[in-house]
Amino acid sequence: MAITITKASDPIRVEHVVGLIYGDPGLGKSTLGFTAEAPLCLDFDMGVHRASNRKDTVRATSWKDCENIAREDVAGYSALLVDTVGRMLDALSVQLIRDDSKNGQGGGALSLKGYGVLKIRFAAWLNLMRSFGLDVVLLAHTNEKKRGDDIIWRPDIQGGSLGEVYKCAEFVGYMHKAGRDRVIEFEPGDGWLAKNPANLGTVTVPDMHVETGFLAGLITTVKASINEQTEEARVANLELDAVRFAIETADDAALLNEAVEGASELSTAAKAIARKLVMARAKALGLVLDKETKRYMDAPAEGEAPDVES
Amino acid sequence: MWRANASLVESCRLFYEADFITESDMDARIKREPFPPSPEMLLGTAFHAACEGTGTTDRVDGQNVIVSDGHAFSATDIAATLDHLEGEPEVPGEVVVMVQGGPMRITCRADYLSPYMVTELKTSAKPPDPLKHEPSMQWRVYALAYGVTRVRYVLVQLAQHHSGIYVVRDCQPVMHYRYRELARDVRIAAERLVDYAQTRGLAGYLEDRS
């Protein structure tokens, strides 16, 4: 067979993820990064020497260092750390303006067109790295932003690129000090940006010289959670399809009532969908709902007026 | 019992956190005063309708288009957008949260609902900003009302071609995930709305008379 077809009813597993961890300098983000499984670090900040558990590193000075990564370069690595993604995007901006002056607007800043190109190049590069079998962990410093009267902490990533990073990342965590501990907030909060597909909540960062696989564990949890949700979604769709068929083929009150009963075990969302379908089907069949029994019945003959709603 | 829709709860958040909703705007929204839709809103409504298949097919300037509410959309772009829209369109929902003075029924209507995810279509003439809706109460209410863990916003930038056809210049899906304290955040936002209405003498408009 020339191609492998994944059936619509087959689950599609997420094998590689992109994540973003941001926090103040000196909190140990690079050290955290090196607790991923078999990591390779792209060191754009030139600060990786401060990580006490340093592993293989590329001292990246330009976007070319990213763009030139080939599959064979990363064979044997499982995770790619970008330290920091803000500086990497700065390097990409420089490259884009070199490539085409219309991508810039003077002073090294990107034009609107430049931002558009940056988003495309960055997303394409992330996809390429994933296709090489890598999880990508983006590290960033923090930046403060005003929202009304409040200050919120966000990743230090230039302009519109932050939105692109947020969109591409499966998980986003804000690392900060909480008393004597360092914690990562995956739960969105009033004062920070986060993304939490695995219901991780607030995670206390352990001694990373003891827990040498700490980030690897988090990434495994995120993947497992996303895949579990995908499987739940597949099953939920199949269950709804069965109820939908029963509703759409019901041609009298008894069959529609039977279909309504079949929907009682569905999830909240599937029930809401089934409710809409049932109401449409009842209307098409000219049925009315008996408010007391909550069952559909034939419309009364003229002159009768039972306690019903359409 | 109080009653509000997800848009009103979000308007109240924007009133406090952004500067483009004035007190008189907020009062008018609570009173459900009708307001003339802007051309952007009409365009968005027409695009939604075209995606739901209520438009008519035609040809303009040699291209297949879908005409909806007087707007001609590229049929190819509508088809590409549909790839991102999953589930049953226009499904109503509601959730009850406890606030001061009793429970509040918050109603909503998902653009598209599947058994595990809400998909919300947002149109704009501006380039999509994936972060714009992150603080929104709308998706938080959806997550509660439909019991889903994921709410995906499909951000569509529309532009008018010189032929008059509206094309999709950019389309960016952005996922939002339910989190542990989400219900608390919705409750706080709902309480803030009740508090505002009471302060302005408008609480009667929030009373549930159904």
Side-chain angles (χ1 to χ4, degrees), chain B residues 80-159:
Chain B
T81 306
L82 287 177
D83 286 344
H84 297 287
L85 307 178
E86 190 179 325
E88 186 70 21
E90 297 292 327
V91 181
E94 65 174 47
V95 62
V96 175
V97 296
M98 291 304 295
V99 298
Q100 71 270 33
M104 175 184 269
R105 187 151 65 99
I106 307 177
T107 58
C108 55
R109 182 174 287 270
D111 280 348
Y112 293 85
L113 180 66
S114 75
Y116 56 94
M117 181 173 73
V118 171
T119 302
E120 191 69 5
L121 182 60
K122 297 283 183 194
T123 61
S124 173
K126 295 178 185 167
D129 175 3
L131 284 171
K132 182 181 173 187
H133 300 283
E134 189 277 330
S136 171
M137 278 300 136
Q138 188 193 37
W139 69 263
R140 288 169 166 82
V141 169
Y142 286 167
L144 279 187
Y146 300 108
V148 294
T149 52
R150 288 178 271 181
V151 180
R152 185 173 58 175
Y153 277 40
V154 177
L155 311 178
V156 171
Q157 182 188 10
L158 292 171

Side-chain angles (χ1 to χ4, degrees), chain A:
Chain A
M1 184 186 275
I3 55 171
T4 304
I5 296 172
T6 304
K7 299 272 189 193
S9 56
D10 291 341
I12 294 177
R13 292 188 62 78
V14 171
E15 302 291 349
H16 309 291
V17 293
V18 175
L20 169 67
I21 304 284
Y22 69 102
D24 288 333
L27 272 180
K29 293 188 296 294
S30 305
T31 305
L32 170 81
F34 284 120
T35 63
E37 187 182 343
L40 172 66
C41 179
L42 294 178
D43 178 25
F44 276 92
D45 263 24
M46 299 297 163
V48 77
H49 56 276
R50 289 193 294 269
S52 49
N53 56 348
R54 181 172 66 79
K55 293 179 183 158
D56 295 358
T57 298
V58 176
R59 309 301 300 274
T61 54
S62 75
W63 174 250
K64 294 281 181 198
D65 291 317
C66 301
E67 208 164 47
N68 291 338
I69 294 174
R71 184 182 293 273
E72 53 271 25
D73 294 331
V74 292
Y77 296 104
S78 297
L80 187 66
L81 313 177
V82 179
D83 191 0
T84 60
V85 63
R87 298 296 83 76
M88 186 184 86
L89 289 168
D90 289 345
L92 174 55
S93 300
V94 169
Q95 186 62 48
L96 293 179
I97 295 169
R98 266 192 205 137
D99 291 348
D100 182 350
S101 60
K102 285 181 184 166
N103 287 331
Q105 57 173 352
L110 286 175
S111 62
L112 205 58
K113 174 178 181 274
Y115 268 118
V117 179
L118 178 136
K119 286 179 188 177
I120 293 167
R121 291 274 287 271
F122 176 64
W125 181 78
L126 284 178
N127 284 334
L128 182 68
M129 293 304 108
R130 281 211 266 209
S131 76
F132 290 165
L134 296 167
D135 296 314
V136 182
V137 180
L138 308 169
L139 302 174
H141 297 305
T142 46
N143 194 4
E144 61 177 58
K145 187 180 188 311
K146 282 201 86 172
R147 186 194 282 169
D149 294 332
D150 301 323
I151 300 280
I152 60 166
W153 297 99
R154 305 205 335 173
D156 181 15
I157 298 170
Q158 58 165 312
S161 338
L162 174 57
E164 191 61 22
V165 172
Y166 178 79
K167 189 190 79 181
C168 294
E170 267 91 12
F171 65 91
V172 177
Y174 169 49
M175 187 172 176
H176 66 104
K177 289 279 276 183
R180 298 170 69 96
D181 290 331
R182 285 171 299 181
V183 297
I184 307 174
E185 307 278 4
F186 289 100
E187 186 95 340
D190 287 340
W192 59 84
L193 189 71
K195 202 174 194 181
N196 188 15
N199 211 9
L200 288 169
T202 304
V203 176
T204 301
V205 178
D207 180 343
M208 289 181 279
H209 296 100
V210 177
E211 299 278 342
T212 54
F214 172 61
L215 185 56
L218 287 181
I219 290 172
T220 301
T221 304
V222 169
K223 284 183 200 170
S225 178
I226 290 172
N227 286 323
E228 193 180 314
Q229 288 171 30
T230 305
E231 175 59 13
E232 284 170 4
R234 188 184 69 85
V235 172
N237 265 335
L238 289 175
E239 288 170 351
L240 178 64
D241 283 348
V243 171
R244 184 192 296 271
F245 179 79
I247 293 167
E248 289 175 351
T249 56
D251 53 11
D252 60 24
L255 287 172
L256 192 61
N257 286 324
E258 207 173 287
V260 170
E261 282 168 21
S264 63
E265 298 296 312
L266 295 177
S267 67
T268 306
K271 267 187 203 157
I273 296 167
R275 199 176 302 123
K276 184 192 168 191
L277 297 173
V278 164
M279 286 170 73
R281 188 64 187 155
K283 192 176 176 186
L285 293 171
L287 305 177
V288 288
L289 182 69
D290 184 316
K291 280 182 179 174
E292 282 186 10
T293 62
K294 302 285 181 196
R295 291 178 71 81
Y296 283 95
M297 50 191 271
D298 292 328
E302 273 190 38
E304 295 177 45
D307 184 22
V308 294
E309 62 182 25
S310 59

Side-chain angles (χ1 to χ4, degrees), chain B residues 7-209:
Chain B
S7 299
L8 188 59
V9 178
E10 170 61 3
S11 294
C12 187
R13 183 194 71 80
L14 289 170
F15 170 74
Y16 284 109
E17 295 181 5
D19 54 6
F20 59 88
I21 293 186
T22 64
E23 213 165 56
S24 60
D25 288 339
M26 193 60 217
D27 291 355
R29 290 177 194 208
I30 290 175
K31 292 179 192 169
R32 297 182 203 128
E33 287 176 357
F35 60 94
S38 66
E40 290 76 20
M41 289 167 71
L42 291 171
L43 178 63
T45 305
F47 187 77
H48 274 73
C51 288
E52 284 174 30
T54 58
T56 54
T57 55
D58 202 347
R59 279 185 75 79
V60 173
D61 207 25
Q63 285 188 60
N64 290 330
V65 296
I66 293 174
V67 180
S68 168
D69 294 337
H71 300 80
F73 298 100
S74 157
T76 310
D77 288 358
I78 292 286
T81 306
L82 287 177
D83 286 344
H84 297 287
L85 307 178
E86 190 179 325
E88 186 70 21
E90 297 292 327
V91 181
E94 65 174 47
V95 62
V96 175
V97 296
M98 291 304 295
V99 298
Q100 71 270 33
M104 175 184 269
R105 187 151 65 99
I106 307 177
T107 58
C108 55
R109 182 174 287 270
D111 280 348
Y112 293 85
L113 180 66
S114 75
Y116 56 94
M117 181 173 73
V118 171
T119 302
E120 191 69 5
L121 182 60
K122 297 283 183 194
T123 61
S124 173
K126 295 178 185 167
D129 175 3
L131 284 171
K132 182 181 173 187
H133 300 283
E134 189 277 330
S136 171
M137 278 300 136
Q138 188 193 37
W139 69 263
R140 288 169 166 82
V141 169
Y142 286 167
L144 279 187
Y146 300 108
V148 294
T149 52
R150 288 178 271 181
V151 180
R152 185 173 58 175
Y153 277 40
V154 177
L155 311 178
V156 171
Q157 182 188 10
L158 292 171
Q160 193 169 26
H161 193 257
H162 58 76
S163 61
I165 300 172
Y166 284 94
V167 296
V168 173
R169 183 168 282 170
D170 199 357
C171 179
Q172 308 253 350
V174 183
M175 193 72 88
H176 301 285
Y177 295 96
R178 187 182 179 127
Y179 55 92
R180 288 178 198 181
E181 297 293 344
L182 182 139
R184 179 207 61 179
D185 290 350
V186 171
R187 181 178 51 76
I188 290 170
E191 276 182 350
R192 200 155 57 161
L193 172 62
V194 171
D195 189 47
Y196 176 88
Q198 287 176 328
T199 306
R200 300 285 296 164
L202 302 172
Y205 290 97
L206 296 184
E207 283 173 13
D208 189 358
R209 297 191 178 93

